[in-house]
Amino acid sequence: MKIVVDDKIPYIQEKLRLLADEVVPLGGAAICASDVKDADALIVRTRTLCDKALLEGSKVRFVATATIGFDHIDADYLASAGITWISCPGCNADSVAQYVESSLLLLQRDRGLSLGASTIGIVGCGHVGSRVKAVAERLGMRVLVCDPLLGHADFVSLETIAQEADVITFHVPLTHEGAYATWHMADEVFLHRLSRVPYIINTSRGSVVDNVALLSALQEGRVRDAVLDVWEGEPDLNLSLLQRVMIGTPHIAGYSADGKANADNMVIDALCHHFGLAHPGKVVPPSLPADFHYTGDPLELYNPLTDSDALKANPSKFEYLRNHYPLRRERFDV
């Protein structure tokens, strides 16, 4: 059995080598048709487009993306070719919630936002949004949730979010069609409807927020400040927007070691099930250094300003910063 795997997926190769005769790690963006022609399985991240051009005529019968998002997977083609595929929904939901919590604490510390006296509008309440809702409630915030696909009676409209929220955070997939398409959900029209000059947080997909419109809203004072982990056109960023936002990071909100291990385990579980393989055991993320000092402040575990400073100093290293991300844990007592 041969498995081709993105070489930037951490912790997983040791387990794969217990399952396959040949494991070939490659750069995700560089994986091409000749690489997978005689492979049985392909394991990727978002940088590998899994479509007909890559997979036609190959032996691949199983594709896994170790990510929540799957807009790089041509599901229609894979279905027509009889190729099973999976993503990892919810794998890094707690990691993104940690990122949002730390960002909210920084808005309170550095921008004077009183969390207990503020309203947060959460757009999308799936795996990630539901965790962010729990975080915001624990911080004492008034919480409004907009998610028409779930349709809960206590959810509100996007218009209500625009009118009442002091912080607006997006946790939706990127979709281009249908009644609830999310591409440019936060566009010029939406940003002109904002009543409370809010903070904007986006950790979903870059094109959920119109980056040009957001920069104008920031410059004109319609948005107070912003926290962006995802960008239109990444890794080629709007540099003016990057320097204007309070926190700008290289698509790493979900990059905790815990979230990565969760994705690894979901991939391995599905791979073993598909091919009828004996399970090699769970992936366990590395521990924090023994000399790590923790007093209970969540910002000691993770402060996104560190990642933001690194990206603002070297925007051209967007991919490098993602691919060489340091150890980050969600909890100290593990």
Side-chain angles (χ1 to χ4, degrees):
M1 180 178 183
K2 178 178 178 178
I3 300 173
V4 173
V5 58
D6 185 312
D7 63 4
K8 296 304 186 294
I9 299 175
Y11 321 134
I12 198 172
Q13 289 186 40
E14 179 182 354
K15 299 298 184 183
L16 295 180
R17 294 186 193 283
L18 298 174
L19 296 171
D21 304 304
E22 185 179 3
V23 175
V24 181
L26 296 170
I31 294 173
C32 64
S34 61
D35 296 322
V36 303
K37 185 175 180 60
D38 60 346
D40 300 284
L42 173 63
I43 302 172
V44 301
R45 301 183 303 155
T46 57
R47 292 304 188 248
T48 306
L49 179 58
C50 298
D51 60 2
K52 183 176 181 178
L54 179 67
L55 296 167
E56 186 177 34
S58 75
K59 285 177 56 185
V60 173
R61 298 272 64 89
F62 177 86
V63 172
T65 179
T67 59
I68 290 177
F70 50 86
D71 39 294
H72 55 296
I73 303 290
D74 186 340
D76 291 337
Y77 169 72
L78 266 62
S80 70
I83 301 173
T84 298
W85 71 275
I86 65 121
S87 62
C88 299
C91 65
N92 59 2
D94 288 325
S95 178
V96 178
Q98 178 191 44
Y99 179 99
V100 174
E101 178 178 17
S102 293
S103 297
L104 290 170
L105 292 173
L106 288 169
L107 288 173
Q108 179 170 253
R109 188 192 75 180
D110 297 345
R111 294 294 187 268
L113 176 68
S114 174
L115 297 178
S118 298
T119 296
I120 186 169
I122 300 172
V123 184
C125 197
H127 291 290
V128 177
S130 60
R131 261 70 156 205
V132 171
K133 180 175 182 289
V135 164
E137 290 172 342
R138 178 162 45 79
L139 293 173
M141 303 183 78
R142 176 183 176 233
V143 178
L144 299 175
V145 176
C146 172
D147 196 325
L149 290 178
L150 294 179
H152 290 191
D154 56 345
F155 287 0
V156 302
S157 67
L158 195 59
E159 179 65 30
T160 299
I161 296 284
Q163 294 298 312
E164 299 186 22
D166 302 291
V167 179
I168 302 174
T169 182
F170 293 92
H171 303 286
V172 295
L174 180 63
T175 58
H176 293 265
E177 300 175 350
Y180 305 115
T182 62
W183 182 83
H184 281 192
M185 171 181 279
D187 59 5
E188 189 70 32
V189 174
F190 173 82
L191 295 171
H192 270 287
R193 296 205 310 265
L194 302 175
S195 294
R196 300 182 63 82
V197 192
Y199 298 93
I200 298 287
I201 301 174
N202 188 18
T203 57
S204 56
R205 285 291 183 265
S207 294
V208 168
V209 176
D210 182 334
N211 283 196
V212 172
L214 176 60
L215 179 59
S216 295
L218 286 163
Q219 293 170 336
E220 295 168 9
R222 292 180 279 118
V223 170
R224 198 173 305 274
D225 216 325
V227 175
L228 296 183
D229 182 56
V230 290
W231 310 79
E232 290 196 276
E234 60 183 58
D236 298 318
L237 313 184
N238 182 322
L239 297 182
S240 296
L241 180 59
L242 172 63
Q243 298 303 330
R244 176 61 181 78
V245 300
M246 176 187 175
I247 299 171
T249 51
H251 202 151
I252 47 72
Y255 266 35
S256 73
D258 308 74
K260 293 176 180 180
N262 288 340
D264 289 351
N265 287 319
M266 293 170 77
V267 168
I268 291 168
D269 288 349
L271 181 72
C272 290
H273 177 76
H274 181 80
F275 289 104
L277 304 172
H279 202 287
K282 292 291 185 183
V283 172
V284 178
S287 300
L288 289 166
D291 60 353
F292 180 81
H293 181 66
Y294 183 59
T295 66
D297 181 355
L299 291 174
E300 292 173 348
L301 270 180
Y302 178 58
N303 186 332
L305 283 175
T306 302
D307 292 325
S308 181
D309 290 345
L311 181 61
K312 289 185 177 185
N314 294 285
S316 64
K317 290 190 174 182
F318 187 97
E319 289 291 275
Y320 178 88
L321 293 170
R322 295 186 84 224
N323 292 335
H324 298 83
Y325 195 66
L327 175 65
R328 168 180 151 209
R329 295 301 306 268
E330 295 166 14
R331 293 170 52 197
F332 175 66
D333 57 338
V334 289

